[in-house]
Amino acid sequence: MELILFYPSDPAIVFDRPCNKGIEAVPFLLREFERRGASIHRIDPSTLSFEERFREYSKATIPAIHKKYEVKRMFGTNRHSACFFGLQVPALLAKKTADDVGDTYPHRESPNTLVTIYDFLTGALAAHEPPV
């Protein structure tokens, strides 16, 4: 599994919103994924130009188009796409294989279900736990 996390070097700028629920636990969860053999790439979007961030955001929208869920308003507004991408709203791209379309978190599924980065990571870790 390959995970790409866009997370600012200054966590104080991260919005306190439902889409960021559990974000403070994400570094610990990612270390557990690394321990289990996942490839983790961490990118500080504050080091990228707006054009570079928008290019990364554009890649992150591909799973949303294929799987028909919403990411646009997670990472921006109707008028300003990607303005929060990776900074005020951290982003995680997850792929099982290099050829996989993958998924982007957080995202909103219909009818109105929010799936956060924390939700995905804890669910994926629990799914691979040995039975008790």
Side-chain angles (χ1 to χ4, degrees), residues 29-121:
L29 296 169
L30 288 177
R31 282 193 295 278
E32 182 60 23
F33 270 87
E34 281 180 314
R35 190 182 71 73
R36 296 181 185 197
S39 172
I40 311 290
H41 304 281
R42 293 170 180 85
I43 299 172
D44 180 358
S46 61
T47 64
L48 304 176
S49 69
F50 179 77
E51 291 79 19
E52 291 169 321
R53 262 191 328 127
F54 193 81
R55 189 172 28 251
E56 295 300 328
Y57 163 79
S58 296
K59 292 177 194 175
T61 62
I62 293 169
I65 294 165
H66 282 271
K67 297 181 179 181
K68 299 182 182 358
Y69 54 71
E70 179 194 356
V71 295
K72 181 178 181 180
R73 281 190 248 153
M74 294 288 139
F75 300 119
T77 67
N78 285 338
R79 290 186 176 198
H80 302 286
S81 295
C83 62
F84 308 137
F85 180 78
L87 294 169
Q88 292 85 0
V89 179
L92 179 74
L93 283 63
K95 290 185 170 194
K96 290 182 182 172
T97 66
D99 295 333
D100 187 23
V101 170
D103 276 303
T104 300
Y105 300 94
H107 67 253
R108 186 176 316 280
E109 297 174 349
S110 60
N112 201 17
T113 304
L114 180 64
V115 183
T116 66
I117 295 171
Y118 176 81
D119 294 335
F120 164 71
L121 293 175

